[in-house]
């Protein structure tokens, strides 16, 4: 059954506002011609959202899924790291984590399912490759089958003003934030090795993140206190072919009968079998 799953899978991501600190890369130099104004709404700038924030967001969702199945997840940090707060590491270990890499000792050398997917211990590559999302404000130029999105780059300016009355709200500093508004598109993930438990964990984590999207801990990127990073997400049915994937994003068209059949097949046959494999692996690892 797992042979029917392509190594490339896609997660639909929709959000009104995404702020990922200073790490959005824009292609504004293409359009600037020396007279670029970065807050002009007429700007047709695209860019790239790097995978780091996306990866952390997904990993956290996956850790929760493992913990809800009574397993423990690999701690993302090194045991000897200099945590700023005393006891932080031990507190995490009590809350459903095992020390990073401890899981490598007892089985086939792949480690727990989180380490297997994300890698990172002793230069070990993870088995899921997380790609950046390329976004463009021009919908017709977005290629969803290559993990792209429609999105509108904005530079936000915030004035932080003094609270002292005699200062008359004098600005103390100006903060500029890169943001993407009205993002809708695909996050492209590739499995270097496709295992049924990987696909099940991805599907469950995306459901979990969608259900908990307004919780502070499960928002994406920065600016959470300002409503940035509340993300609607959904695993696009991995049985869809490329034209079906494109159709998901076509507002003018609904599912074909064939797509509905694939949705039933996915929900009734594939997913339950993959989830059983995930359950068995988490059980064996705890
Ligand atoms: Zn582990």
């Amino acid at each position: 059954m797992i042979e029917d799953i392509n190594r490339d899978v896609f997660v639909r991501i929709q959000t009104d506002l995404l702020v990922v600190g200073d790490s959005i890369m824009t292609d504004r130099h293409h359009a600037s011609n020396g007279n670029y104004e970065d807050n002009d709404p007429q700007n047709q700038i695209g860019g790239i959202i790097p995978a780091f924030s996306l990866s952390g967001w997904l990993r956290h969702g996956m850790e929760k899924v493992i913990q809800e199945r009574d397993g423990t997840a690999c701690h993302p940090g090194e045991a000897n790291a200099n945590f700023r707060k005393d006891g932080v590491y031990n507190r995490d270990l009590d809350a459903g984590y095992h020390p990073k890499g401890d899981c490598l000792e007892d089985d086939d050398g792949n480690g727990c399912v989180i380490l297997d997917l994300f890698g990172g211990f002793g230069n070990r590559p993870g088995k899921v490759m997380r790609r950046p999302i390329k976004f463009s404000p021009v919908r017709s130029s977005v290629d969803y089958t290559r993990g792209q999105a429609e999105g509108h780059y904005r530079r936000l300016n915030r004035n932080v003003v003094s609270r002292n009355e005699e200062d008359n709200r004098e600005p103390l500093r100006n903060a500029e934030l890169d943001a993407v508004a009205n993002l809708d598109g695909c996050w492209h993930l590739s499995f270097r090795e496709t295992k049924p438990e990987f696909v099940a964990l991805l599907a469950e984590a995306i459901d979990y993140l969608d259900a908990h999207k307004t919780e502070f801990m499960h928002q994406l990127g920065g600016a959470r206190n300002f409503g940035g990073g509340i993300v609607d997400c959904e695993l696009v049915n991995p049985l869809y072919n490329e034209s079906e994937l494109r159709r998901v994003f076509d507002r003018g068209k609904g599912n074909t009968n064939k797509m509905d059949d694939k949705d039933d097949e996915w929900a009734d046959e594939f997913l339950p079998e993959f989830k059983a494999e995930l359950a068995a692996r988490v059980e064996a690892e705890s």
Side-chain angles (χ1 to χ4, degrees):
M1 242 175 166
I2 192 67
E3 324 71 65
D4 299 318
I5 306 301
N6 198 294
R7 61 190 290 273
D8 296 304
V9 289
F10 297 88
V11 174
R12 183 177 192 178
I13 289 192
Q14 292 173 276
T15 177
D16 293 337
L17 179 66
L18 184 64
V19 177
V20 284
D22 56 358
S23 63
I24 294 171
M25 288 177 278
T26 63
D27 57 12
R28 66 184 122 181
H29 55 283
H30 290 311
S32 68
N33 198 19
N35 50 19
Y36 172 79
E37 297 281 348
D38 63 12
N39 52 8
D40 183 344
Q42 295 299 318
N43 283 322
Q44 299 283 295
I45 333 169
I48 289 171
I49 302 162
F52 305 106
S53 307
L54 292 158
S55 177
W57 167 77
L58 175 65
R59 178 178 177 139
H60 195 206
M62 287 181 163
E63 290 169 358
K64 283 285 174 215
V65 168
I66 299 289
Q67 288 160 350
E68 293 211 333
R69 286 178 167 279
D70 290 328
T72 60
C74 242
H75 197 280
E78 309 294 337
N80 58 2
N82 192 5
F83 290 100
R84 278 193 225 173
K85 254 178 128 160
D86 272 354
V88 135
Y89 196 73
N90 287 330
R91 201 179 55 195
D92 282 353
L93 295 185
D94 292 339
Y97 289 88
H98 57 259
K100 183 178 185 175
D102 267 17
C103 47
L104 286 170
E105 286 159 21
D106 42 61
D107 64 357
D108 52 5
N110 286 325
C112 68
V113 64
I114 296 283
L115 186 69
D116 204 7
L117 275 168
F118 287 86
F121 192 78
N123 272 335
R124 162 183 297 263
K127 293 197 179 111
V128 63
M129 183 158 61
R130 290 86 74 196
R131 294 173 197 258
I133 297 177
K134 189 167 178 225
F135 66 91
S136 162
V138 184
R139 189 179 175 73
S140 56
S141 71
V142 175
D143 184 352
Y144 297 100
T145 67
R146 297 187 57 210
Q148 298 183 359
E150 180 184 356
H152 303 264
Y153 171 77
R154 293 288 181 265
R155 164 68 54 90
L156 307 179
N157 283 289
R158 296 176 49 218
N159 268 317
V160 181
V161 301
S162 169
R163 289 317 198 242
N164 279 324
E165 211 162 331
E166 62 266 32
D167 289 344
N168 259 326
R169 295 183 60 82
E170 180 190 342
L172 296 176
R173 62 191 169 88
N174 180 263
E176 290 185 330
L177 288 176
D178 283 331
V180 185
N182 302 322
L183 186 79
D184 183 10
C186 268
W187 186 27
H188 181 185
L189 300 163
S190 301
F191 292 112
R192 293 196 171 89
E193 186 183 333
T194 313
K195 299 181 184 178
E197 64 269 30
F198 288 170
V199 183
L201 182 54
L202 174 64
E204 289 193 7
I206 292 300
D207 280 350
Y208 184 93
L209 289 166
D210 192 61
H212 295 83
K213 62 189 153 205
T214 57
E215 284 174 24
F216 191 80
M217 294 298 285
H218 294 292
Q219 292 173 36
L220 174 60
R224 293 177 171 87
N225 277 330
F226 306 97
I230 297 173
V231 169
D232 294 311
C233 55
E234 179 189 11
L235 178 65
V236 177
N237 188 338
L239 302 175
Y240 287 174
N241 62 28
E242 284 199 351
S243 63
E244 289 163 339
L245 173 66
R246 271 189 215 102
R247 202 175 167 103
V248 168
F249 295 90
D250 191 332
R251 286 172 197 152
K253 292 178 185 162
N255 273 12
T256 61
N257 291 337
K258 181 100 192 174
M259 287 166 80
D260 286 338
D261 290 346
K262 286 183 178 182
D263 285 352
D264 291 342
E265 218 183 333
W266 177 250
D268 300 339
E269 296 166 37
F270 284 81
L271 206 46
E273 173 148 339
F274 295 166
K275 285 186 178 198
E277 299 270 352
L278 176 62
R281 180 156 176 187
V282 173
E283 167 95 44
E285 282 166 359
S286 55

